[in-house]
Amino acid sequence: MAAAADTRPWPTELRLAKDRRSLTVSFDSGESYALEAEYLRVLSPSAEVQGHSPAERKTVPGKRQVAILEVQPIGNYAVRLVFDDTHSTGIYSWDYLAELGRDRTAKWQGYLDELKSKGLSREP
């Protein structure tokens, strides 16, 4: 079990862009991802977005212009992101941030497909 913990991504830097529209996360593995605020907001790990089961997950439209107001540390395992639309209940673990970075293309396309199938838009 200790070996598994040793291979988990550990952040070396979190940098909020000046315009607050992206968060760059760098890991000790050498991976680095610039994650857009909209992407982080619509895939928030919060129960408000994810629900308590896959069937309860919500598609969040209208967040194209969302910005990150704060990045708050949560212990030594995660951060809470506070967005300018008042959403602040998602706790982004290091593992989840790495997953969002590695799987960005597929996750983003899945989100765009959901919007289209539900007749929703990225625009506010």
Side-chain angles (χ1 to χ4, degrees):
M1 193 126 179
D6 293 342
T7 61
R8 297 173 84 177
W10 190 257
T12 56
E13 181 178 34
L14 279 84
R15 183 180 303 251
L16 185 59
K18 285 184 181 186
D19 66 1
R20 299 184 173 274
R21 301 240 185 251
S22 68
L23 178 70
T24 299
V25 185
S26 299
F27 293 95
D28 58 2
S29 62
E31 297 167 289
S32 184
Y33 306 105
L35 305 171
E36 297 83 1
E38 178 186 13
Y39 177 63
L40 292 165
R41 173 61 180 90
V42 301
L43 291 176
S44 170
S46 69
E48 176 187 332
V49 173
Q50 298 300 324
H52 296 285
S53 72
E56 292 180 0
R57 198 173 76 65
K58 296 187 176 46
T59 304
V60 180
K63 299 301 176 184
R64 185 175 218 148
Q65 300 302 319
V66 75
I68 301 167
L69 296 178
E70 293 180 57
V71 179
Q72 303 171 340
I74 303 294
N76 64 357
Y77 68 94
V79 289
R80 176 189 318 270
L81 300 181
V82 178
F83 294 91
D84 65 357
D85 67 351
T86 72
H87 180 73
S88 64
T89 58
I91 297 185
Y92 296 75
S93 70
W94 309 141
D95 289 341
Y96 188 58
L97 287 169
E99 175 187 329
L100 288 174
R102 279 191 300 266
D103 300 340
R104 187 194 180 287
T105 300
K107 288 181 178 294
W108 184 247
Q109 189 58 57
Y111 170 69
L112 295 176
D113 292 347
E114 283 179 20
L115 285 177
K116 186 176 181 180
S117 73
K118 295 178 180 183
L120 300 172
S121 169
R122 292 175 56 205
E123 299 304 324

